[in-house]
Amino acid sequence: MNLNFWILDIAHEVKKEKPQILLWCIDSNNKKVLVIDDTFLPYFYVLPKEKVDIKSLTSKILALSTNITNIELADRKLFGKPVKVLKITFRDPGQAIKLQKIISKLEEIQECYEYDVRYPLRYLIDNQLTPCGWHQTEVEEIKSKNYKVDAIYQVKKTPKPIEEAKIPRLKVLAFDIKCYSKRGLSTKTAADPVITISTATNNGLEKQFIATDYNDKKAIQGFAKFVQEFDPDCIVGYESNIFDWLYLGQRAKNLKIKLDVGRPGEPHTSMYGHVSIAGRANIDLYDFAEDIVDIKVKTLENIAEFLGTKIKPLKVDETKIPELWDDKKLREKLLEQSKNEVKTIIEVSEKLLPFAIQLSNVVGLPLDHVGAAAMGFRVEWYLIRQASLEGELIPSRFEKQYFPYRGAIVLAPKPGIHENVAVVDFSSMYPALMIQKNISPDTFVSEDVGVKSTEVNIAPEVGYKFRKVPDGFYKRVLSDLIKVRRKIKTQLKKLDPKSIEYRILDARQQAIKTTTNAVYGYNAWLGAKFYFKQVGEATAAWGRETITKTIEVAKKLGLQIIYADTDSLFIKYEKPKVEKLIETVREKLELEIELKDIYERIFFTEAKKKYAGLLKDGRIDITGFEVVRGDWAEIAREVQEKVFEIILKEKTPEKAVVYVQEIIQKMQANQIPYEELIIWKTLTKSPEEYEIAAPHVSAAKILLKAGGRLDAGDKIGFVITKGAGRLTDRAKPYSMAKLEDIDTDYYVNNQIIPPAHRILESFGVTEDQFKMVKKQKTLFEFK
DNA sequence: GCTTTACTTGTACCT
DNA sequence: ACAGGTACAAGTAAAGCG
């Protein structure tokens, strides 16, 4: 029979020494099915040294392991150059690395390739199957009680992808645990009980599994049973990969119970630190929240607020949990909070899952992996897939020395207020240049190779040469990505922005955009398999040339340049001249440049990468300043924002000064809410590792001492309290201080005044003026 | 011995 | 764990001062 199926998850098993691919799928009738293919064997490539006798090498390798089933000569390419390699096919996917190590030791071997491409992903790539995509093949139903699905099929033919944009109806379950702990939680020992496991589903079910006082055995068992009953396709949580699953797993181990939540199977940590659950896509929404740069402190509450969920989560103070639990009257409150939290997680998942699904499908990483994989790995998997299809050998990852190179140009802005300013910028400048100049590892011509200058593009400043023909790897990949995205954008125009189709396609074009834009950076990343520094250097050099030429054109047209950064240009807006500029650039540089914004009024200090502008619609757009920085107290940001508003909308610096004075007075009178005084800073390593003393580090150390759970990457919220000595010694975790403890002088002098003064100093305001009490109406003169 | 300056470390931002 | 370019705070060591 023929089966259409959508791939949710992929795994493999070895049965009686025979590996088989397990595709966990949803069919067109929304049945959960398992599709098994046992015809595919793992393999990798071996590049022999020159002049090595292939026949004798083959028998030599064959003798090394009984695991090897076949060795054959294969034609592949290495940076575009054809090479003959040996394809080593073997039985046990788990032996790949070990096998590679043995073979590498042979003196006839130059190098081994692709031994680190995991077996299930290898299967997907070789057969052009995509996670979160539809496929079709001929299958035969088989009976087995080993898997919890509606049907199990054995493939008769290798599956093929089919065009179908629809996403099956997925059953989603959100969960969250709360633990009883007075001294901090360790996911390694999990000494304290889980007091509640809350769940909510995307079809409105809500269930809580509550410990009987301090015994969580039944709660955990109940939860696992419920997961099996509800049988979700996706399990979502918030920080669930780094906490909830690990803690539950450890509790289950301690209690000697099974945490069977898969189809079937227990959760286990896998690639990129994600927790894998057989047959389901386990997704930690925190991974996707991390990519939202507008949210500075990535709590669930902040994410929910940003995404505009209906339910407003009640903040749970983790340190208060034991108190609430110990008092049976207060337990209800805790349970209510937890229930609220999972309902929020479900709502957040509704907003984030469409993007996750599209990202998975675009880059080719399984849905449960893709969020946990950093940007570099997402791009890499996309490139691996494309390169493999073209017969290109995937370079191995190896350690490289850091070698910084010159990047983009940033002009010093013209400080002050400017009226009527246009911003023009290049659309995807680096990808466009890589395509135009055919910049790629396989088109690179090394110095010792003689070529006619007409055959190559030569990068300015750095002098690297790239062949004009044939099209390089990056040109092919990037043109394809851009073409597909353009097609989606045209389709989008015909759709209702509220429709499901629109949301799916829009999420898809976003996924393509981020991938496209990250290719340049990926290539120059030390960890990249495809690392090729000349490509990055040359692209940046051509970028500098491009913006420089554009500035020249603008100047020749008589346009006044106010600021420029990398691929954007701020100019005094004169419609005909700007139109001419865009046209000239299009013709002469053959690059797309567009009018992005027109500011009615825009303000610059002397600093680069900072400006605040008033748009035609009345919106104020602030870039780079403290307002948009997460490491300033809210009061500081609020004051600066208000100052910008007064300056840009009313053009009355004196009014701004009065406003700042008022805030300072409030601050001194302890009238600013405590929450607005919290400063958040990221801990980039564990506190002991710091070389220097810093406020957020000392606050973190206090938290740790009190039994807090802290990891590198955590945001520390602290306040500066009264007293003598360094700030560092007066920084306290915000949960351990009160408004009365606050050092108001610090907040006035170090938080409120500097950001306000940075703006107002260009109007002649001095720092002292902020602290003057309102004695007379005019404190100073303006021109 | 105190203040000023120069430098280092650390964080977050921009394109 | 995508790149380089940039601003700025806080701590600290060195330099300047009398």
Side-chain angles (χ1 to χ4, degrees), chain A residues 76-77 122 125 128 130 361-364 379-394 473-474 476-478 480-481 515 530:
Chain A
R76 303 298 285 175
K77 285 181 281 180
R122 174 93 273 168
I125 291 169
Q128 301 190 48
T130 50
N361 186 255
V362 168
V363 308
V379 173
E380 188 156 274
W381 277 108
Y382 177 79
L383 294 176
I384 286 174
R385 187 175 272 264
Q386 301 308 314
S388 273
L389 279 173
E390 297 180 358
E392 192 63 53
L393 285 172
I394 311 305
F473 178 53
Y474 286 140
R476 298 193 295 272
V477 168
L478 292 169
D480 197 44
L481 283 169
T515 310
F530 292 96

Side-chain angles (χ1 to χ4, degrees), chain A residues 114-320:
Chain A
E114 306 187 15
Y115 47 86
D116 55 353
V117 177
R118 297 211 181 181
Y119 175 57
L121 279 167
R122 174 93 273 168
Y123 177 80
L124 292 184
I125 291 169
D126 286 21
N127 298 310
Q128 301 190 48
L129 310 190
T130 50
C132 300
W134 285 97
H135 304 81
Q136 186 181 57
T137 194
E138 215 175 285
V139 295
E140 184 181 75
E141 183 158 6
I142 54 171
K143 293 288 167 201
S144 166
K145 284 188 177 150
N146 296 338
Y147 310 101
K148 293 176 183 168
V149 282
D150 297 324
I152 305 161
Y153 301 101
Q154 177 85 45
V155 304
K156 305 293 280 177
K157 270 189 194 157
T158 306
K160 284 205 162 41
I162 51 172
E163 281 271 337
E164 174 62 77
K166 256 196 297 184
I167 305 296
R169 214 166 355 101
L170 298 171
K171 286 173 87 175
V172 183
L173 175 116
F175 84 110
D176 179 71
I177 68 169
K178 292 277 170 268
C179 309
Y180 182 92
S181 163
K182 284 182 171 170
R183 42 198 167 136
L185 299 164
S186 163
T187 54
K188 294 206 175 76
T189 54
D192 299 299
V194 172
I195 48 183
T196 174
I197 307 168
S198 301
T199 62
T201 70
N202 65 336
N203 61 354
L205 282 180
E206 285 167 34
K207 248 185 154 147
Q208 278 185 318
F209 304 90
I210 303 159
T212 35
D213 284 332
Y214 306 95
N215 185 336
D216 53 358
K217 192 171 174 177
K218 283 198 176 129
I220 296 173
Q221 285 171 324
F223 166 68
K225 195 165 160 254
F226 178 65
V227 174
Q228 293 300 355
E229 275 166 23
F230 179 69
D231 194 30
D233 303 306
C234 295
I235 301 182
V236 293
Y238 200 75
E239 301 196 292
S240 52
N241 276 345
I242 53 169
F243 182 69
D244 303 57
W245 281 125
L246 304 186
Y247 200 89
L248 273 181
Q250 189 60 47
R251 281 307 295 163
K253 203 173 150 195
N254 292 357
L255 296 165
K256 297 191 173 65
I257 53 175
K258 277 223 154 181
L259 189 61
D260 180 12
V261 287
R263 280 172 167 163
E266 295 191 274
H268 62 276
T269 301
S270 177
M271 269 172 100
Y272 313 119
H274 85 279
V275 172
S276 178
I277 294 170
R280 313 189 198 278
N282 171 58
I283 295 162
D284 186 347
L285 296 169
Y286 180 79
D287 289 334
F288 293 94
E290 260 196 320
D291 296 340
I292 308 175
V293 290
D294 288 344
I295 306 166
K296 306 299 172 184
V297 184
K298 275 128 180 132
T299 58
L300 179 63
E301 301 87 68
N302 292 352
I303 303 297
E305 195 195 337
F306 181 84
L307 295 174
T309 59
K310 284 180 225 94
I311 295 165
K312 300 284 169 253
L314 310 161
K315 207 173 156 71
V316 181
D317 183 350
E318 302 279 334
T319 60
K320 296 268 162 60

